[in-house]
Amino acid sequence: MSPQRIDINTDICIGAGQCALTAPDVFTQDDDGFSQVLPGREDGKGSPLLREAARACPVAAISIREE
């Protein structure tokens, strides 16, 4: 598997929380309710639901880049 990087576009995130519900081992919500990647999980390695969590975002705020 190629190295990857998770990016959350905080300008369009609405804090729906679908990412945290789908892949709680990678995503959480900050104090304001917006999505963020858990520290040390920026590569999403080992999470079988990472891409499903990105697809679950209702505003497509999550992108996964192959590096």
Side-chain angles (χ1 to χ4, degrees):
M1 177 179 250
S2 300
Q4 54 192 7
R5 174 129 182 111
I6 303 166
D7 291 309
I8 299 174
N9 184 334
T10 56
D11 291 334
I12 62 173
C13 176
I14 60 170
Q18 294 303 308
C19 58
L21 290 172
T22 305
D25 58 327
V26 177
F27 298 98
T28 189
Q29 290 180 284
D30 66 17
D31 292 339
D32 295 320
F34 295 105
S35 297
Q36 65 182 35
V37 178
L38 289 168
R41 297 308 312 260
E42 293 83 4
D43 63 0
K45 187 175 180 181
S47 178
L49 296 174
L50 176 60
R51 293 194 183 280
E52 184 59 35
R55 283 190 289 271
C57 180
V59 294
I62 301 169
S63 61
I64 303 167
R65 293 181 302 169
E66 300 296 326
E67 295 189 328

